[in-house]
Amino acid sequence: MAFSLKLPRNRVEFSWFILIISVISVNVIVPLITCFEMGFSWRTWQQTLTVLPMIWGVVAALVLLTHRPADQVTRKLLARDDSFRANMIVNCLVNVL
């Protein structure tokens, strides 16, 4: 794989990657699941917001643990000549899953 397609390419990109994945995971998935389980209300949303910092740390740790296996799965799913965007999208999706 060409160097330009290897994701992320440095520590800054990796930090942005973790931030984006954790924001998506924590701020969208967790409140939705909680609201589906407990019912949609402002009180439910407030209760979810109180535990988000702890969940955020767990999500960041999981992204760090699953980064290398996700990179390997991405390489198996895509061809060598696929675009940078395709690599980025598949890599993010595999990390979230």
Side-chain angles (χ1 to χ4, degrees):
M1 180 181 292
F3 178 74
S4 64
L5 296 180
K6 188 170 181 185
L7 299 173
R9 292 177 282 203
N10 55 40
R11 288 181 187 248
V12 174
E13 285 184 8
F14 189 68
S15 299
W16 276 108
F17 176 76
I18 289 176
L19 178 70
I20 291 168
I21 296 298
S22 67
V23 165
I24 291 169
S25 299
V26 171
N27 290 320
V28 174
I29 297 170
V30 173
L32 279 178
I33 291 172
T34 304
C35 287
F36 281 134
E37 292 291 324
M38 298 176 61
F40 287 90
S41 70
W42 182 247
R43 182 165 164 73
T44 302
W45 187 264
Q46 286 177 326
Q47 289 174 342
T48 304
L49 292 177
T50 61
V51 296
L52 279 181
M54 180 186 66
I55 294 172
W56 211 320
V58 171
V59 168
L62 287 174
V63 168
L64 289 171
L65 290 172
T66 61
H67 176 67
R68 185 162 290 171
D71 190 40
Q72 292 171 353
V73 171
T74 301
R75 278 190 256 134
K76 288 181 181 181
L77 291 174
L78 296 175
R80 285 184 161 273
D81 58 344
D82 283 337
S83 69
F84 177 79
R85 288 182 180 176
N87 277 276
M88 186 65 186
I89 290 170
V90 171
N91 195 357
C92 287
L93 289 173
V94 170
N95 269 291
V96 169
L97 291 175

